[in-house]
Amino acid sequence: MSRVQQLSDNLQQAFSARLESNVVAHGEVTIEVSSKDLVDVCAQLRDVQKFGFEQLIDVCGVDYSEYGSSEWTTDDSSSTGFSRGVKPGVNARLRFGEAPAYVSDRKRFAAVYHLLSVANNQRLRVRCYAENDELPIIPSVIDIWNSANWYEREAFDLYGIMFEGHPDLRRILTDYGFVGHPFRKDFPLVGHVEMRYDPLQQRVIYEPVSIDPRVLVPRVIREGGRNADAIEKTPDSAAEGKNA
């Protein structure tokens, strides 16, 4: 049994009913817990010796609206790039005031935690969905890992996810007075306003954005890639040796 599978089995044994999912894919373990169980599960992941995840590497916000939809005709990458867009009217071209129709059975917003155990040489991904799409709230883990401070502020700034219990939840990347959350799928790629220096007023002024929205990067779910076959043929022992 590989070390990755052993970690997955240990997690299932320790948390059982509190795990909403426990998946091993691409040599990594991803578990999903509800917001009510997040803090307790994370505390045990840090404190229980066989887990020992003493480091929080990152907290990433995710907006799952339109997950998997695309303007592009392919869902695979190649050495020559992607095919041309075929649906010019999807959300990547939204203007200010427009809103997408979010139709999905899954919750819209989630926080994803990337954990590292130096002592056990293991990594783990933990995902937690916000229960309310209109006002996404997830408990803060700052009392477990201090590094969550800036990471949670970043997810709040870019996605509008509220981290309950955070002592100083405010924007960290966008400008003062910024409107909206720029990584949400319903935020226009061109933004809401543009700024320039006005020589007559001798100051920087803000104006409604004037450029036309367009899509340059495809939003696709890539199941494979040019190196997928080589990765599949790599023995577990060789992969473990790289992590030793």
Side-chain angles (χ1 to χ4, degrees), residues 71-214:
E71 295 191 25
W72 305 76
T73 59
T74 180
D75 54 8
D76 294 314
S77 60
S78 69
S79 60
T80 57
F82 293 85
S83 62
R84 299 180 63 84
V86 294
K87 299 178 182 178
V90 299
N91 293 349
R93 300 173 187 266
L94 286 174
R95 303 296 299 218
F96 180 65
E98 299 175 336
Y102 179 52
V103 287
S104 175
D105 293 333
R106 79 191 310 157
K107 299 180 180 69
R108 178 176 175 181
F109 294 103
V112 179
Y113 305 80
H114 299 270
L115 309 181
L116 171 66
S117 171
V118 175
N120 297 325
N121 189 24
Q122 291 181 327
R123 294 180 184 269
L124 175 65
R125 183 183 299 110
V126 180
R127 178 168 57 193
C128 178
Y129 282 96
E131 296 296 328
N132 189 333
D133 292 343
E134 298 298 323
L135 181 61
I137 300 176
I138 294 175
S140 173
V141 296
I142 193 171
D143 290 336
I144 302 173
W145 298 288
N146 287 334
S147 60
N149 191 335
W150 283 18
Y151 298 146
E152 290 179 349
R153 283 180 58 187
E154 183 180 34
F156 161 71
D157 191 0
L158 300 180
Y159 291 93
I161 299 173
M162 307 292 293
F163 290 90
E164 188 175 17
H166 192 289
D168 187 24
L169 194 62
R170 55 193 168 95
R171 293 186 183 271
I172 192 172
L173 294 177
T174 56
D175 197 5
Y176 298 107
F178 191 89
V179 177
H181 304 282
F183 277 17
R184 287 189 173 190
K185 296 290 180 61
D186 53 5
F187 190 90
L189 291 182
V190 296
H192 292 158
V193 296
E194 62 186 26
M195 56 186 290
R196 65 177 176 87
Y197 179 77
D198 189 315
L200 297 178
Q201 302 183 47
Q202 296 186 348
R203 65 182 180 88
V204 172
I205 62 173
Y206 290 83
E207 298 175 326
V209 65
S210 60
I211 62 176
D212 291 328
R214 57 179 179 156

Side-chain angles (χ1 to χ4, degrees), residues 51-78:
F51 300 130
F53 291 102
E54 69 273 20
Q55 291 191 25
L56 173 66
I57 301 299
D58 197 7
V59 179
C60 304
V62 185
D63 178 358
Y64 282 100
S65 64
E66 293 221 347
Y67 179 71
S69 68
S70 174
E71 295 191 25
W72 305 76
T73 59
T74 180
D75 54 8
D76 294 314
S77 60
S78 69

Side-chain angles (χ1 to χ4, degrees), residues 6-45:
Q6 184 63 58
L7 172 61
S8 176
D9 292 347
N10 290 341
L11 290 165
Q12 192 65 42
Q13 183 179 9
F15 301 113
S16 58
R18 286 188 288 178
L19 295 187
E20 298 189 354
S21 70
N22 181 356
V23 177
V24 177
H26 309 294
E28 300 175 341
V29 182
T30 302
I31 62 173
E32 181 182 319
V33 298
S34 66
S35 58
K36 64 182 177 62
D37 293 325
L38 177 66
V39 173
D40 183 52
V41 169
C42 285
Q44 292 188 57
L45 289 174

